[in-house]
Amino acid sequence: MHLIDRIGPYLGVAAFLALIVLALALFLQAREIRRLREWAGRAPERAAEAAEATGAAVEARGEAVLEERVPLRTRARARLGRIGGWFVERFGPAYRAVDRRSPIDPRILIAAIAAIAIAAGVVTGGFGLGGGGESKSTAAAAPKPGKIEVAVLNGSQEHGVAGQPGLAQSVLAQVVEPAGYRSGVVTDAPHSFPQSVVLYAEGQSAAAKQLAATAKKKLGATGIQPMSSDVKAIVTNAQLALVVGVDDATFGE
């Protein structure tokens, strides 16, 4: 299931892109037929365009005379039509030049680019591909402290010297239990830790941040890290492990 969770979003993006390529290929045949028809000549279409332009010119000349008698809504629509005509006149030749040279209808290409951009935003936001860590499916809101078991490990030993006696028990009594967390294993860490840190099991980063914020009141700034295998072997089923480092060896004195 973890493998499916990791590769599923990428397979979804690949399938979406393949679907777009297939759709473009289907449009390609119709596109080529249209280009052949344009190559054979567009005399009837040019004549129709000339007639439309003449009609528009006549309408524009008559509009100045009739403007006072035409309702405001009608005049507004006419002005919008003229603005649209200006855009067509200004950018129409460049668009038609691109349209003639492109093997794909530019409108289809623009729509495909927009679809890819939207899909990329949805996928990276929905599956966590663009984030720095866990996906939204695993990075849920931090649960209540009463549902989290916290192990407390004494990591204050250094250079072969044992850690401060009773340090882990003191942190459990003064930091973890008052915050409402369930007590886990209380023992020595597998090795020395220079600074206190909250280690979290998979999917518990939000809970680790919450515990680190709680510990900051008594232990100072406390970082978070994924739980290593040697720590997992000690804390068994605890979701979090608060390791008291050398920097807090004098806690409670």
Side-chain angles (χ1 to χ4, degrees):
M1 289 299 296
H2 294 304
L3 178 61
I4 293 176
D5 290 339
R6 286 198 302 270
I7 69 174
Y10 297 97
L11 294 178
V13 172
F16 182 81
L17 296 178
L19 181 61
I20 292 177
V21 172
L22 179 60
L24 294 178
L26 292 176
F27 280 112
L28 186 59
Q29 183 178 10
R31 174 71 175 173
E32 292 299 326
I33 293 175
R34 186 165 72 89
R35 291 185 64 186
L36 289 175
R37 186 170 63 247
E38 291 179 353
W39 176 79
R42 299 180 61 232
E45 297 179 19
R46 288 196 299 271
E49 291 175 359
E52 291 177 2
T54 302
V58 172
E59 182 180 354
R61 286 195 299 270
E63 184 179 358
V65 179
L66 300 176
E67 185 173 1
E68 295 300 328
R69 289 177 289 178
V70 176
L72 179 60
R73 182 180 301 178
T74 303
R75 293 203 304 269
R77 290 177 179 174
R79 289 192 181 95
L80 290 176
R82 288 198 300 272
I83 293 174
W86 179 84
F87 275 101
V88 172
E89 181 181 355
R90 182 71 179 271
F91 301 104
Y95 176 83
R96 287 192 290 270
V98 174
D99 191 29
R100 284 194 298 271
R101 294 186 177 91
S102 175
I104 302 173
D105 191 329
R107 291 172 296 182
I108 299 176
L109 184 60
I110 293 172
I113 293 174
I116 292 174
I118 294 172
V122 171
V123 170
T124 55
F127 291 96
L129 298 183
E134 299 176 338
S135 65
K136 288 185 178 180
S137 60
T138 58
K144 294 181 178 180
K147 297 181 179 180
I148 298 295
E149 181 178 331
V150 178
V152 182
L153 305 181
N154 185 350
S156 63
Q157 66 272 25
E158 56 179 341
H159 306 302
V161 179
Q164 181 70 21
L167 179 60
Q169 189 64 46
S170 297
V171 171
L172 174 69
Q174 299 183 44
V175 178
V176 177
E177 290 182 339
Y181 291 96
R182 293 191 291 114
S183 301
V185 175
V186 180
T187 186
D188 292 333
H191 55 82
S192 176
F193 283 78
Q195 295 180 331
S196 297
V197 63
V198 177
L199 306 181
Y200 59 90
E202 184 177 359
Q204 299 296 331
S205 62
K209 293 178 181 178
Q210 187 178 59
L211 176 58
T214 300
K216 183 179 179 180
K217 301 174 184 177
K218 295 291 186 67
L219 301 177
T222 306
I224 67 171
Q225 295 177 12
M227 192 178 296
S228 58
S229 58
D230 54 351
V231 173
K232 288 181 182 179
I234 295 176
V235 303
T236 59
N237 296 324
Q239 295 97 329
L240 302 177
L242 175 55
V243 183
V244 188
V246 176
D247 60 333
D248 290 313
T250 59
F251 177 82
E253 293 184 356

mmCIF file of all heavy atoms in Angstrom, residues 209-227:
data_model
loop_
_atom_site.group_PDB
_atom_site.id
_atom_site.type_symbol
_atom_site.label_atom_id
_atom_site.label_comp_id
_atom_site.label_asym_id
_atom_site.label_seq_id
_atom_site.Cartn_x
_atom_site.Cartn_y
_atom_site.Cartn_z
ATOM 1 N N LYS A 209 5.159 18.153 15.983
ATOM 2 C CA LYS A 209 5.249 19.616 16.086
ATOM 3 C C LYS A 209 4.494 20.115 17.319
ATOM 4 O O LYS A 209 4.929 21.040 17.998
ATOM 5 C CB LYS A 209 4.693 20.261 14.822
ATOM 6 C CG LYS A 209 5.533 20.003 13.579
ATOM 7 C CD LYS A 209 4.888 20.623 12.351
ATOM 8 C CE LYS A 209 5.713 20.334 11.103
ATOM 9 N NZ LYS A 209 5.077 20.887 9.884
ATOM 10 N N GLN A 210 3.358 19.495 17.582
ATOM 11 C CA GLN A 210 2.558 19.899 18.737
ATOM 12 C C GLN A 210 3.303 19.606 20.035
ATOM 13 O O GLN A 210 3.338 20.443 20.951
ATOM 14 C CB GLN A 210 1.228 19.158 18.710
ATOM 15 C CG GLN A 210 0.233 19.618 19.759
ATOM 16 C CD GLN A 210 -1.079 18.873 19.651
ATOM 17 O OE1 GLN A 210 -1.113 17.651 19.754
ATOM 18 N NE2 GLN A 210 -2.163 19.601 19.440
ATOM 19 N N LEU A 211 3.915 18.419 20.129
ATOM 20 C CA LEU A 211 4.669 18.076 21.337
ATOM 21 C C LEU A 211 5.897 18.970 21.483
ATOM 22 O O LEU A 211 6.242 19.386 22.595
ATOM 23 C CB LEU A 211 5.080 16.607 21.298
ATOM 24 C CG LEU A 211 5.955 16.127 22.455
ATOM 25 C CD1 LEU A 211 5.261 16.352 23.802
ATOM 26 C CD2 LEU A 211 6.314 14.646 22.285
ATOM 27 N N ALA A 212 6.572 19.288 20.355
ATOM 28 C CA ALA A 212 7.745 20.158 20.419
ATOM 29 C C ALA A 212 7.365 21.537 20.940
ATOM 30 O O ALA A 212 8.112 22.152 21.718
ATOM 31 C CB ALA A 212 8.388 20.267 19.032
ATOM 32 N N ALA A 213 6.194 22.037 20.534
ATOM 33 C CA ALA A 213 5.737 23.332 21.024
ATOM 34 C C ALA A 213 5.454 23.276 22.526
ATOM 35 O O ALA A 213 5.728 24.236 23.266
ATOM 36 C CB ALA A 213 4.487 23.763 20.265
ATOM 37 N N THR A 214 4.925 22.137 22.978
ATOM 38 C CA THR A 214 4.668 21.973 24.405
ATOM 39 C C THR A 214 5.976 21.893 25.192
ATOM 40 O O THR A 214 6.132 22.513 26.255
ATOM 41 C CB THR A 214 3.835 20.703 24.648
ATOM 42 O OG1 THR A 214 2.588 20.819 23.961
ATOM 43 C CG2 THR A 214 3.573 20.505 26.127
ATOM 44 N N ALA A 215 6.933 21.117 24.679
ATOM 45 C CA ALA A 215 8.214 20.947 25.378
ATOM 46 C C ALA A 215 9.026 22.237 25.412
ATOM 47 O O ALA A 215 9.858 22.423 26.313
ATOM 48 C CB ALA A 215 9.028 19.840 24.690
ATOM 49 N N LYS A 216 8.799 23.121 24.452
ATOM 50 C CA LYS A 216 9.567 24.368 24.391
ATOM 51 C C LYS A 216 9.412 25.191 25.651
ATOM 52 O O LYS A 216 10.324 25.916 26.060
ATOM 53 C CB LYS A 216 9.125 25.172 23.166
ATOM 54 C CG LYS A 216 9.894 26.458 22.965
ATOM 55 C CD LYS A 216 9.417 27.182 21.708
ATOM 56 C CE LYS A 216 10.185 28.489 21.518
ATOM 57 N NZ LYS A 216 9.736 29.221 20.306
ATOM 58 N N LYS A 217 8.264 25.076 26.301
ATOM 59 C CA LYS A 217 8.016 25.874 27.506
ATOM 60 C C LYS A 217 8.970 25.490 28.638
ATOM 61 O O LYS A 217 9.301 26.327 29.477
ATOM 62 C CB LYS A 217 6.575 25.675 27.958
ATOM 63 C CG LYS A 217 5.549 26.083 26.904
ATOM 64 C CD LYS A 217 4.140 25.733 27.344
ATOM 65 C CE LYS A 217 3.114 26.052 26.268
ATOM 66 N NZ LYS A 217 1.737 25.652 26.673
ATOM 67 N N LYS A 218 9.398 24.217 28.674
ATOM 68 C CA LYS A 218 10.266 23.755 29.765
ATOM 69 C C LYS A 218 11.690 23.456 29.290
ATOM 70 O O LYS A 218 12.645 23.662 30.040
ATOM 71 C CB LYS A 218 9.670 22.474 30.378
ATOM 72 C CG LYS A 218 8.321 22.684 31.052
ATOM 73 C CD LYS A 218 8.425 23.513 32.312
ATOM 74 C CE LYS A 218 7.090 23.600 33.049
ATOM 75 N NZ LYS A 218 6.645 22.323 33.608
ATOM 76 N N LEU A 219 11.825 22.957 28.055
ATOM 77 C CA LEU A 219 13.132 22.529 27.563
ATOM 78 C C LEU A 219 13.754 23.506 26.574
ATOM 79 O O LEU A 219 14.884 23.294 26.135
ATOM 80 C CB LEU A 219 13.009 21.164 26.874
ATOM 81 C CG LEU A 219 12.478 20.016 27.740
ATOM 82 C CD1 LEU A 219 12.336 18.755 26.907
ATOM 83 C CD2 LEU A 219 13.392 19.767 28.924
ATOM 84 N N GLY A 220 13.029 24.549 26.202
ATOM 85 C CA GLY A 220 13.538 25.446 25.172
ATOM 86 C C GLY A 220 13.198 24.902 23.787
ATOM 87 O O GLY A 220 12.453 23.931 23.632
ATOM 88 N N ALA A 221 13.751 25.533 22.761
ATOM 89 C CA ALA A 221 13.474 25.131 21.372
ATOM 90 C C ALA A 221 13.828 23.664 21.169
ATOM 91 O O ALA A 221 14.945 23.224 21.464
ATOM 92 C CB ALA A 221 14.259 26.009 20.405
ATOM 93 N N THR A 222 12.849 22.907 20.656
ATOM 94 C CA THR A 222 13.017 21.462 20.464
ATOM 95 C C THR A 222 12.651 21.101 19.036
ATOM 96 O O THR A 222 11.549 21.397 18.582
ATOM 97 C CB THR A 222 12.116 20.672 21.433
ATOM 98 O OG1 THR A 222 12.379 21.105 22.776
ATOM 99 C CG2 THR A 222 12.368 19.183 21.316
ATOM 100 N N GLY A 223 13.579 20.481 18.311
ATOM 101 C CA GLY A 223 13.334 20.107 16.926
ATOM 102 C C GLY A 223 12.571 18.794 16.812
ATOM 103 O O GLY A 223 12.291 18.117 17.816
ATOM 104 N N ILE A 224 12.224 18.434 15.588
ATOM 105 C CA ILE A 224 11.562 17.155 15.320
ATOM 106 C C ILE A 224 12.310 16.432 14.207
ATOM 107 O O ILE A 224 12.888 17.059 13.329
ATOM 108 C CB ILE A 224 10.075 17.341 14.942
ATOM 109 C CG1 ILE A 224 9.952 18.060 13.587
ATOM 110 C CG2 ILE A 224 9.335 18.118 16.010
ATOM 111 C CD1 ILE A 224 8.533 18.087 13.051
ATOM 112 N N GLN A 225 12.297 15.096 14.257
ATOM 113 C CA GLN A 225 12.950 14.261 13.249
ATOM 114 C C GLN A 225 12.174 12.956 13.112
ATOM 115 O O GLN A 225 11.520 12.511 14.073
ATOM 116 C CB GLN A 225 14.399 13.939 13.641
ATOM 117 C CG GLN A 225 15.335 15.120 13.703
ATOM 118 C CD GLN A 225 16.728 14.710 14.161
ATOM 119 O OE1 GLN A 225 17.055 13.526 14.228
ATOM 120 N NE2 GLN A 225 17.549 15.689 14.473
ATOM 121 N N PRO A 226 12.229 12.314 11.932
ATOM 122 C CA PRO A 226 11.638 10.975 11.808
ATOM 123 C C PRO A 226 12.325 10.003 12.761
ATOM 124 O O PRO A 226 13.524 10.109 13.021
ATOM 125 C CB PRO A 226 11.896 10.609 10.343
ATOM 126 C CG PRO A 226 12.102 11.911 9.650
ATOM 127 C CD PRO A 226 12.766 12.812 10.648
ATOM 128 N N MET A 227 11.575 9.062 13.261
ATOM 129 C CA MET A 227 12.106 8.109 14.226
ATOM 130 C C MET A 227 12.998 7.081 13.527
ATOM 131 O O MET A 227 12.601 6.476 12.542
ATOM 132 C CB MET A 227 10.941 7.406 14.937
ATOM 133 C CG MET A 227 11.346 6.600 16.156
ATOM 134 S SD MET A 227 9.906 5.840 16.969
ATOM 135 C CE MET A 227 8.973 7.287 17.500
#
